[in-house]
Amino acid sequence: MSARRDFDVLIAGGGMVGAALAARLATLPATQALRVALIEPHPALTPLPEEPLDLRVSAISRAGEELLRATGAWGLLAPRRPCAYERMLVWDEASSPAGAETLRFDAAEAGEPNLGHIVENRAIAAALIERALASGVTLIRSPVTGLELSADAACAVLGGRTVSSALIVAADGADSPLRTLAGLAGEPLRYPQEAIVAHLTPELAHGATARQRFLATGPLGILPLADGRVSIVWSTTPDEAARLAALDDAAFGEAVTRASDGVLGALATTTPRARFPLRRFNAASYAATRLVLVGDAAHTVHPLAGQGVNQGFLDAHALAEELGRALAEGCDPGDARPLGRYARARRADNALMGAALDAIFRVFTAEHAALRSGRRLGLRLVNGAAPLKRLLITRALGAP
């Protein structure tokens, strides 16, 4: 590693995945010697205890939890009360949530205490940044305005100055400017859907259970929160999303109650709503000369299974391990061999996850009668096949 460079690794983007990589590089014994900088103009701040729960939450898998624990960030999340969920129910619009065609996953079936936790996005990012800085990572509060890649160094242009490194990691989101500057192409698949997110108070207790009902226009996900409320992600057509966004709070609560089949009784809206378009993307390559992609900069998936950030955490873990291996072999962090190993392995895994979620989306939104009856039969068969259910639970927990 050349002393002429300002840093060994520059991470552009301080969201959950970029911050996780920074914190992991700073705490993993094999990579602690690296000089790491996290470039983020607006780093997440730790929410005050009295602040209401933010609208953006994620279902964090066991693998994601283990990464957060390894960095020391998990313990910092306690004041924001991560909500463990122990069960998941999945059913079709034409079925009953109590019927034989409802797919039931229970942590106890896999010998696990829970299936994951629902955690506030900004709290995760803030905790990871805190741990990264405490472990020696440098925070640079600036946007990246240019990129210079060569055989000898990777440089980020930050307004009026240039910062050099052995490697730049693009963790700057789904619309990644660095991905474009590096010439890493990929054609996003835009779903004919938008997602509506909100928090609501249910009439009945959520029972630490995550629920998903597949409607003709898209899935409605209902996630439990520690304060007794639920967080919804309702994927539907753009026209229906616009209509739902325009409803008053009472009418929106009634709409969600109907869409959820009344499984939690009446639902009362407690927050503003947000809506965003849905797409699937996987970059053609995750690596260029002295640059790699992680998280949403590399891939995005349909949110129906809540796997987006978990796949990003797996990216961060894999890249940290590869860089540790590279250092042990006497390689430069920007060497093409470790970056290539990372890129091939993670792109294949993310492609598989994206294709699986895309297939589920298409099967459950298909209008053909044979597919509708087939998917109900499939749910019934999977529900009765204990080994297959354990395999699916293991995959959802983040295990390979």
Side-chain angles (χ1 to χ4, degrees):
M1 291 179 285
S2 172
R4 293 191 302 272
R5 300 174 188 142
D6 298 311
F7 294 96
D8 299 315
V9 180
L10 290 175
I11 302 169
M16 291 186 286
V17 174
L21 177 61
R24 191 59 184 134
L25 289 175
T27 55
L28 185 67
T31 56
Q32 281 180 325
L34 290 172
R35 298 168 300 156
V36 178
L38 181 63
I39 306 172
E40 173 53 57
H42 306 291
L45 301 176
T46 302
L48 297 174
E50 64 270 18
E51 285 188 70
L53 197 67
D54 194 61
L55 203 55
R56 301 303 295 268
V57 299
S58 293
I60 302 301
S61 69
R62 183 57 44 75
E65 177 188 342
E66 289 173 356
L67 177 62
L68 292 170
R69 287 187 183 279
T71 63
W74 185 257
L76 301 178
L77 297 173
R80 301 306 288 177
R81 300 173 62 196
C83 182
Y85 59 99
E86 301 165 6
R87 288 164 294 280
M88 178 177 286
L89 302 179
V90 181
W91 73 102
D92 183 83
E93 182 177 35
S95 307
S96 162
E101 293 160 347
T102 293
L103 186 56
R104 297 173 177 82
F105 296 108
D106 197 301
E109 295 177 7
E112 297 285 345
N114 57 65
L115 297 176
H117 291 79
I118 309 302
V119 193
E120 194 177 14
N121 290 7
R122 63 173 177 171
I124 295 173
L128 286 165
I129 289 172
E130 180 176 337
R131 288 299 304 138
L133 299 188
S135 302
V137 171
T138 299
L139 178 63
I140 301 176
R141 296 172 180 257
S142 172
V144 178
T145 56
L147 183 65
E148 299 171 3
L149 303 176
S150 71
D152 297 321
C155 299
V157 181
L158 310 176
R161 64 179 176 134
T162 299
V163 180
S164 63
S165 67
L167 172 66
I168 290 181
V169 181
D172 51 343
D175 296 316
S176 172
L178 266 70
R179 183 183 67 222
T180 301
L181 290 170
L184 294 174
E187 189 65 32
L189 169 66
R190 300 187 184 279
Y191 289 104
Q193 287 193 321
E194 293 184 359
I196 295 277
V197 295
H199 298 336
L200 301 97
T201 297
E203 181 181 11
L204 305 176
H206 57 55
T209 300
R211 297 170 170 86
Q212 186 145 253
R213 188 185 189 207
F214 282 93
L215 307 170
T217 55
L220 169 64
I222 308 171
L223 305 175
L225 299 176
D227 61 8
R229 293 182 298 165
V230 294
S231 179
I232 69 152
V233 182
W234 188 350
S235 303
T236 187
T237 64
D239 287 345
E240 179 64 2
R243 187 189 73 82
L244 292 169
L247 294 175
D248 62 33
D249 285 352
F252 180 73
E254 291 169 2
V256 179
T257 300
R258 289 192 299 272
S260 65
D261 206 18
V263 69
L264 291 173
L267 289 153
T269 309
T270 63
T271 63
R273 281 148 264 164
R275 84 190 236 227
F276 52 91
L278 301 182
R279 62 183 175 179
R280 174 188 168 195
F281 174 80
N282 201 21
S285 173
Y286 287 9
T289 301
R290 295 192 175 276
L291 180 141
V292 289
L293 309 176
V294 297
D296 285 357
H299 51 84
T300 57
V301 296
H302 196 288
L304 65 87
Q307 289 302 307
V309 71
N310 292 305
Q311 292 297 109
F313 282 157
L314 291 175
D315 293 347
H317 171 77
L319 183 56
E321 292 289 329
E322 281 294 350
L323 293 181
R325 178 180 170 186
L327 293 180
E329 295 173 349
C331 293
D332 184 290
D335 188 273
R337 286 170 294 176
L339 301 187
R341 289 194 297 260
Y342 159 79
R344 288 189 295 273
R346 291 307 306 147
R347 189 180 187 283
D349 184 70
N350 289 321
L352 181 62
M353 177 62 74
L357 295 177
D358 185 66
I360 292 170
F361 163 75
R362 295 186 186 284
V363 167
F364 277 92
T365 55
E367 298 182 0
H368 196 282
L371 277 175
R372 288 200 300 270
S373 60
R375 69 196 179 209
R376 291 196 294 274
L377 174 61
L379 286 173
R380 189 184 305 119
L381 291 175
V382 172
N383 205 40
L388 179 56
K389 285 177 69 176
R390 283 195 294 272
L391 177 64
L392 292 173
I393 289 173
T394 299
R395 187 66 176 98
L397 289 170

